[in-house]
Structures are given as structure tokens and as C-alpha cells.
Amino acid sequence: MAERTLGGPQLAALLPGAAEARPAYRHLARAIGDLVLDGRIALRVRLPAERELAVALGVSRPTVTAAYDLLRDSGYAHSRRGSGTWTALPAGRAPSGVTRALAPPDAAIDLARAAPSPPEQAVTAALAAVAPHIAEHTRSTGYHPYGLPELRAAVAERFTRRGLATVPEQILVTSGAQHALTLVLGLLSTPGDRVLVESPSYPNALEALRRSRLRPVSVPVTDDGWDAGLVESTLRQAVPQLAYLIPDFHNPTGLLMPDDTRARVLRAAHRCGTWLVVDETLTDLALDVPAPLPCAAHAAPGASAQVITVGSMSKSHWGGLRVGWLRAPARLVTELAAQRVAHDLGGPVVDQLLALHFLEQAEVPERVARLRERRDALTGALAAHLPEWTWRQPPGGLSLWVDLGAPVAAALAERALDYGVRIEGGACFAADPGVFEQRLRLPFAAAPDVLREAVRRLAAALADDRPLPSAAPRPRWIV
């Protein structure tokens, strides 16, 4: 296996400002450890030589020497005589990409994951309904690299019904939208490629880009939404290989991209030859507006050939149902299916039968009404207990993007743990480091009473007379 080495300039680019705090060596060691834990520096990679990193950071060599010593003492690195210092993971620690999805190990109210839970009776009824079909499928091998034919047909019909004519050959069933995105990145990009992303954006998608060693080029999503002209000029100047966008009830802001902006972005991406990956995971959760057309429906004739649409059951139904899909040209679907065979040969049949059952049920109005009630409970509690916080009412989705009025999000997240609430600061959603410290994403997926209690606890945490703590490295739970 080829030896993997991280150059001094490469590491310095990941450590903006890490050497400016005092004592510099401690902050440098902590910053490198955080990068390892977050997966932005892989394990078993050789770190730059001490002299090389000192020059790249503009610090003394003893500072780097002391930082490396501290990394070794804390388990984030080890040395081989004559061959340098290599990254490692301390005993008992797991990468944050894993711990993000784990349930909190205590009884804290979890506001870090924007994911609904289905009514228990709905799952029980679905299992009973698909049981006869499971028996039928046991007569086959159970391998379906493209997905169950009947589920591919149902997803294709769903697109057609929403205004984008689609045939089953354009559908690949995946293990969630994240799996779909990972397959696309693996096929259509190579390390070092530029990818246009929104900022803020979905943390796990940003993590997938980093792990593929791609270079994000960010465009802002402000309280007023997308600047179509800025997106166009960024596409024209950066000419990214791909662009990843969440136009439908954007995560985390909840905003809906206007139709004219969609058309302009589609035209600009087509002119630049950029593959456009559109995440429609939240498209069913339209609370105050009609459900939007698929983004690719706004493309000019022939311009949709480089548009890939990903979706999933996780946000609309249940995260435990690991079923998603992508829509793309049939030729590309075939190539992606060949790529996924190397990973899992196809998704579980039982999960796909359950997904098919849920897609055939007319439950969207009830689900939307339930979310609307929960959103109203959260906004009402915030207005009563934290009136200084501000937000834009999202027309759909699962969360509020709250402005705290001061850059205290990470510190408040630490304090909130003492009061039994798990939240994540806005920096977790940033494509670029050091921004959105004044923001929180507050999901409204939980029951109204739980949301009201969570807000009461947050207000108590903020009213605590003690100084807010410094943010410490800790596992993160973001969905």
C-alpha cells in the first residue's frame, strides 16, 4: 500500500488560526486532534516533519515538537523510529462521523437530530402488510443491485406525479440519500476536484466531500435565501466538477429556492458542464406552501442530463428505514449500480418492501399537520422564554435556524448539557471554518410538550449566572 503523507502546507490550510492562541502548542495539538476525530485527517497518515510544519504555520520548531509530544501522550499520534509521526485514535474514542448518529447515552432531550419517529401502530401495520410479500421474495436470491423493481417503479411514478416524467430505468434504490451521494462522489469526482456547496449545509454531506478529498467552494444561503447571480458567477469562475444543493426546505434554514432561481442555477451548471446533485430529502415536508416541483423539472430541454436527484425516507417517514434513491440518466444509473455492487450488492429486501408500503399510503397530510403543530409549539415557547432570539418562519422542513444575537452557540451547547438538552451550534453546518457561531438549528421533530420543556431548559441555561464555558471536544449527534 502506498504511504500516505500529509504535507506541511496541506495541514496548515486545515488549521487556520490554530497557532495564534496561547499556549500555541496546546491549541495546535487540540486542533490536530479535533481534525483526526472529525475524520478530516485520516488515520495512519504521516504528519509533516516538525520543521516543515513550523515553516508552514510560521511558528517555532519547539512549538510543533511540543504539540506532537502532546498528541502522542493523548493517543492521537504515535512515532516510528526513523519514519516520522503518524495519526492514531485514542483508545475508547470513535470518529465523530459515527457518534453523530448514535442515540445520546443519557436521558437528555435530543435537539441535535432533525428526524421524526413514526407512530408505533403504523410500523406494526406495515410489517403485517408486507409479510406475505417477504415470503414471495424468499424464492429468489434476494440480490437487487438496482433496487426492487416494484420500488423503482413506485419512485419513478412519484417523480412523474410531481411533474418530472421518469421511468424505472432512471432510478437507483440506495441505503439512504447519504449512500446515494457517496456513490455519486465515488463515480464522478477525483481527489482535488472542486464542489460547489451552500453554506450552511447538511454536515454529513460536507463530511462526505471532505472524506473524498474534494475542495468545497461555498456560496451563502442567507435569511433572504440564495443569490442567483452569485451562484452563477461562482459556477462560471470555479467551474466545479459537481454542485450539491438542497433547494427544498433547505437543511438547516428551512428555506425554499424560488422557481426562477432554480432555472438560472440549472442553466449556469449546464453551461459549465457541472454535475448538479439536488438533495430532495425534505421535499415532502411542505408546511405552508404547495409541494415544489422536482428541481430538474425546471431545466431546459436536454439540460437535465447532468442533474442527479437524491431522496430518502429518513426525513419524511423514519430514519430507521434505511431506504433512499437517486434519479439520473439511465446510463449513469447503470454505472452507479456497478459501483455499489462493490459495497453491498443491493439493499435489504424487507426494508424496501416496507418503503414501498409507506410510499403507497396517503399519510402526507396527517404527517404535515403533526409537524405544523410541533413547529408552532417550538416557536411559541421561544417567543415566551427567549424573546431576544430571532428566526424566519420556514415554509417547510424540520427545523428553525435561530439567530442568538451573539456568537455563543458552541458555549451554550456545552452549558445546555448540564440542563439536559443536546444541541449543536451553527458552526457544525458551515462549509467554511469559524462562521455561524451565533446560530442554532432547532428541530421541531419531537412532541410539543418535549419541545416546550427543551426551550425552558435552554432559557435556564442562558440565564445561568456562571460564565459560559469554552466549547470542549465531544461526540456530535447531527442528522
Side-chain angles (χ1 to χ4, degrees):
M1 179 182 292
E3 183 179 272
R4 295 185 294 172
T5 302
L6 193 64
Q10 289 176 286
L11 182 53
L14 295 171
L15 295 165
E20 296 173 4
R22 294 293 180 268
Y25 78 96
R26 285 191 176 276
H27 288 277
L28 179 57
R30 173 179 287 184
I32 294 173
D34 287 349
L35 290 171
V36 172
L37 192 61
D38 201 39
R40 296 181 64 184
I41 299 178
L43 298 178
R44 295 175 293 280
V45 167
R46 187 168 65 180
L47 293 170
E50 294 172 3
R51 186 185 303 278
E52 181 187 359
L53 183 57
V55 170
L57 289 174
V59 300
S60 67
R61 183 175 177 180
T63 295
V64 177
T65 300
Y68 279 12
D69 286 343
L70 192 54
L71 285 169
R72 284 187 285 267
D73 290 344
S74 57
Y76 286 101
H78 65 90
S79 294
R80 301 178 189 172
R81 184 177 296 276
S83 65
T85 301
W86 297 72
T87 58
L89 200 62
R93 297 300 297 268
S96 60
V98 175
T99 57
R100 280 174 185 162
L102 296 177
D106 51 38
I109 296 174
D110 185 7
L111 292 187
R113 293 182 290 181
S117 298
E120 185 176 329
Q121 63 271 22
V123 177
T124 303
L127 287 167
V130 305
H133 303 288
I134 297 173
E136 293 172 12
H137 279 275
T138 59
R139 304 185 191 115
S140 71
T141 63
Y143 295 123
H144 297 278
Y146 289 94
L148 284 183
E150 52 266 51
L151 181 55
R152 296 178 75 198
V155 174
E157 171 57 28
R158 179 178 180 273
F159 275 107
T160 301
R161 192 168 58 249
R162 293 176 54 220
L164 180 62
T166 303
V167 296
E169 289 75 19
Q170 293 174 280
I171 301 299
L172 178 68
V173 177
T174 62
S175 299
Q178 188 73 13
H179 180 214
L181 175 62
T182 303
L183 288 174
V184 170
L185 296 180
L187 182 68
L188 297 180
S189 66
T190 56
D193 283 347
R194 295 186 181 94
V195 179
L196 184 143
V197 297
E198 300 148 325
S199 189
S201 187
Y202 181 48
N204 294 327
L206 296 174
E207 180 68 11
L209 301 182
R210 296 182 186 113
R211 287 181 176 272
S212 296
R213 299 171 65 189
L214 302 175
R215 292 188 289 167
V217 179
S218 65
V219 293
V221 179
T222 68
D223 286 340
D224 296 319
W226 295 258
D227 183 329
L230 181 58
V231 177
E232 288 174 322
S233 64
T234 304
L235 284 166
R236 185 172 59 252
Q237 294 168 18
V239 194
Q241 172 68 8
L242 299 102
Y244 170 77
L245 302 176
I246 313 172
D248 295 351
F249 314 121
H250 176 263
N251 188 357
T253 68
L255 294 169
L256 182 64
M257 183 183 285
D259 290 350
D260 59 341
T261 301
R262 295 171 188 246
R264 290 178 63 178
V265 170
L266 285 160
R267 286 195 300 270
H270 180 65
R271 285 194 299 267
C272 296
T274 295
W275 286 96
L276 189 57
V277 182
V278 178
D279 189 334
E280 291 188 345
T281 304
L282 293 159
T283 192
D284 284 338
L285 305 182
L287 304 183
D288 300 328
V289 295
L293 292 173
C295 189
H298 297 277
S304 64
Q306 284 190 270
V307 180
I308 301 167
T309 304
V310 302
S312 126
M313 308 288 289
S314 297
K315 303 297 189 182
S316 58
H317 290 79
W318 181 35
L321 194 62
R322 301 307 306 148
V323 175
W325 52 80
L326 62 81
R327 179 197 184 274
R331 172 192 57 80
L332 185 64
V333 167
T334 298
E335 294 182 50
L336 288 165
Q339 168 127 335
R340 77 95 50 94
V341 165
H343 294 275
D344 62 3
L345 295 174
V349 170
V350 175
D351 289 24
Q352 294 182 69
L353 288 172
L354 285 170
L356 178 62
H357 172 83
F358 282 122
L359 285 178
E360 291 173 344
Q361 304 304 303
E363 296 177 347
V364 173
E366 294 86 350
R367 190 164 58 249
V368 166
R370 193 161 53 243
L371 281 175
R372 194 180 292 119
E373 176 191 9
R374 295 176 178 190
R375 183 191 61 184
D376 292 346
L378 177 59
T379 56
L382 289 172
H385 297 285
L386 292 161
E388 65 275 19
W389 290 5
T390 59
W391 63 90
R392 290 284 185 93
Q393 180 95 327
L398 284 168
S399 59
L400 302 181
W401 186 233
V402 177
D403 189 337
L404 308 182
V408 297
L412 178 58
E414 293 297 321
R415 171 66 55 75
L417 286 172
D418 295 338
Y419 286 79
V421 177
R422 291 193 178 278
I423 54 173
E424 292 295 348
C428 296
F429 301 85
D432 306 297
V435 296
F436 301 128
E437 256 301 298
Q438 82 284 12
R439 295 281 189 167
L440 285 180
R441 186 191 71 167
L442 294 181
F444 43 82
D449 288 346
V450 174
L451 292 171
R452 294 186 188 100
E453 176 61 23
V455 171
R456 282 193 290 270
R457 295 184 187 186
L458 288 176
L462 199 60
D464 193 318
D465 290 335
R466 293 173 297 162
L468 286 170
S470 299
R474 60 183 176 85
R476 303 190 181 278
W477 293 267
I478 305 176
V479 175

